[in-house]
Amino acid sequence: MASKKELQVAQKRELEKKEETTIPARIFMPSADIYETKDGLNVVLEMPGVDKNSVDIRVEDDVLKVDGKLDFSKYRGLQPLYTEYNVGHFSRSFRLSSKIDQGKIAAELKDGVLSLMLPLAEKAKPRAIQVN
């Protein structure tokens, strides 16, 4: 019988910067869950405080890059009594396989949760072969 393992909740990680930035803000790697369906992959990213007009999603050289920027004016003048997460922008990248139809990727942001639908390319979907 397989042993049960408790899933550990990952702590919020600051993005390890590989390049210099001119933005005077911290950048975090959003937590992600990836689910496989018969039609493709669903990627769910936590980006609290990010408005849908402040999300930039692009595919370049088979890399899906997601950036979410916070409006820091919402936080001016506030004195937090207690906080559980640091305020900052979000950035995450995923290398895509040739099985993903990059032209049909869709996204939805609701209540700080970004859902990406990465559909399988037609050539990657299972199919029956007829015997003649």
Side-chain angles (χ1 to χ4, degrees), residues 28-40:
F28 294 99
M29 185 177 349
S31 297
D33 290 331
I34 301 174
Y35 302 96
E36 185 174 10
T37 68
K38 65 180 178 70
D39 297 320

Side-chain angles (χ1 to χ4, degrees), residues 63-127:
V63 175
L64 174 67
K65 182 152 176 64
V66 179
D67 290 310
K69 305 256 188 265
L70 282 182
D71 177 5
F72 289 111
S73 67
K74 295 178 185 177
Y75 298 93
R76 275 193 207 117
L78 294 179
Q79 280 296 6
L81 298 175
Y82 176 78
T83 61
E84 289 193 353
Y85 69 92
N86 291 310
V87 176
H89 300 308
F90 295 93
S91 183
R92 186 97 188 233
S93 298
F94 301 92
R95 180 153 304 277
L96 299 176
S97 77
S98 61
K99 293 182 178 184
I100 300 298
D101 188 341
Q102 296 179 10
K104 293 184 179 175
I105 294 174
E108 178 183 33
L109 180 70
K110 185 176 180 186
D111 298 329
V113 177
L114 178 67
S115 298
L116 299 167
M117 288 65 73
L118 285 61
L120 284 176
E122 286 300 318
K123 65 181 180 181
K125 290 183 180 177
R127 62 189 186 283

